[in-house]
Amino acid sequence: IAAIAIIAGVAMSVLGGNSSTKAMPNLEGMTADEATAKLVEYGDGWFVVSTSEQYDDNIEEGRIAKQDVEAGSSAEKGTKVTYHVSKGTSQVVIPNVVGDSEDSATTTLKNAGFEVSVQYSESSDSVGKVISTSPKNGNSATKGSTVTITVGKAPSKVSVPSVIGMTYSDAADKLKANGFYAGLASGSSSNGIVTDQSETTATKGDTIYLTTKVESSGNGGSGSNGSGTGTTGGSNGGTGSSTQQ
């Protein structure tokens, strides 16, 4: 923002009468209105003033951080003066720390001028790593403000429902409904009945390996005057069956 003004005023006797030079006042720390009022005291057209804005980490927003004519120096009538009004603490781009470790991200952000707050969220594939920042990386934020980083932690284990005694298909459905995957243990068949499961507690999304056993059956019989096997015996035979688990 730039504005040029010809300062007019009176009170010449107070500031040195009709002297050809006058001492430049110190404007730093004043508001723009206060600085204008001060310069008006020096008389009609003594200073030609322009203003600009700049970030300053030490000067409150709206107050003069710097003037380009040194305070106390001699100024002739018509001297051009620019004073720079503070826009407050400087803005800094938030660096990208997603994927970094907690310690590394904290160091990077502090070196950039930020305070750091840490929170944690369950994540199976980003344990110990930064998942996100708030505000997001790439945005600008006031130097000295707080950036919150979210760091992944290992998911909590929960109880796995018992599926022993079920068919493999039913067991897999039940596990899926509870957030798990089913897998066959070595030597097991998807046509069998579950006799064992690998876990009773696990993390959601884990695979539970199931041991199964296939039921077997057979028929046979014998008659007094003949014999037979399977579902049909001899001419005078009979039938029979057995089940094994």
Side-chain angles (χ1 to χ4, degrees):
I1 299 172
I4 300 179
I6 305 293
I7 309 301
V10 289
M12 298 295 291
S13 59
V14 176
L15 300 170
N18 294 318
S19 173
S20 60
T21 62
K22 296 180 180 180
M24 179 68 201
N26 183 9
L27 306 176
E28 293 182 9
M30 294 182 179
T31 65
D33 287 345
E34 290 170 344
T36 298
K38 182 68 176 177
L39 294 176
V40 165
E41 297 175 3
Y42 282 72
D44 183 21
W46 200 273
F47 294 106
V48 178
V49 179
S50 63
T51 66
S52 70
E53 291 183 321
Q54 68 180 46
Y55 288 108
D56 192 290
D57 296 342
N58 300 310
I59 303 298
E60 178 185 350
E61 182 177 0
R63 294 191 174 274
I64 295 173
K66 181 182 178 182
Q67 61 190 67
D68 63 355
V69 177
E70 185 178 357
S73 62
S74 296
E76 298 178 347
K77 186 173 183 178
T79 296
K80 294 180 180 180
V81 178
T82 300
Y83 57 77
H84 307 274
V85 180
S86 173
K87 294 197 294 182
T89 305
S90 56
Q91 299 288 296
V92 181
V93 175
I94 299 170
N96 184 7
V97 294
V98 173
D100 293 354
S101 67
E102 178 181 338
D103 288 345
S104 176
T106 298
T107 298
T108 298
L109 290 168
K110 285 188 173 182
N111 287 342
F114 297 106
E115 296 298 320
V116 180
S117 174
V118 183
Q119 63 183 21
Y120 299 93
S121 178
E122 291 186 356
S123 174
S124 59
D125 56 358
S126 297
V127 176
K129 303 295 184 181
V130 176
I131 300 171
S132 64
T133 63
S134 180
K136 292 183 178 180
N137 60 277
N139 291 332
S140 294
T142 303
K143 188 175 182 180
S145 62
T146 298
V147 174
T148 299
I149 61 175
T150 301
V151 179
K153 67 176 182 178
S156 303
K157 288 191 173 184
V158 296
S159 296
V160 178
S162 174
V163 292
I164 294 174
M166 295 182 177
T167 64
Y168 176 79
S169 177
D170 288 344
D173 288 343
K174 184 171 183 177
L175 290 172
K176 183 177 181 180
N178 283 272
F180 303 102
Y181 294 100
L184 280 170
S186 178
S188 294
S189 169
S190 60
N191 296 320
I193 299 298
V194 177
T195 60
D196 195 15
Q197 61 190 73
S198 61
E199 306 292 343
T200 56
T201 60
T203 300
K204 293 281 188 177
D206 282 355
T207 297
I208 310 302
Y209 291 94
L210 306 178
T211 301
T212 65
K213 187 173 184 180
V214 177
E215 292 184 340
S216 61
S217 63
N219 294 309
S222 62
S224 59
N225 296 313
S227 64
T229 61
T231 57
T232 304
S235 59
N236 295 311
T239 61
S241 66
S242 63
T243 301
Q244 181 180 3
Q245 182 172 337

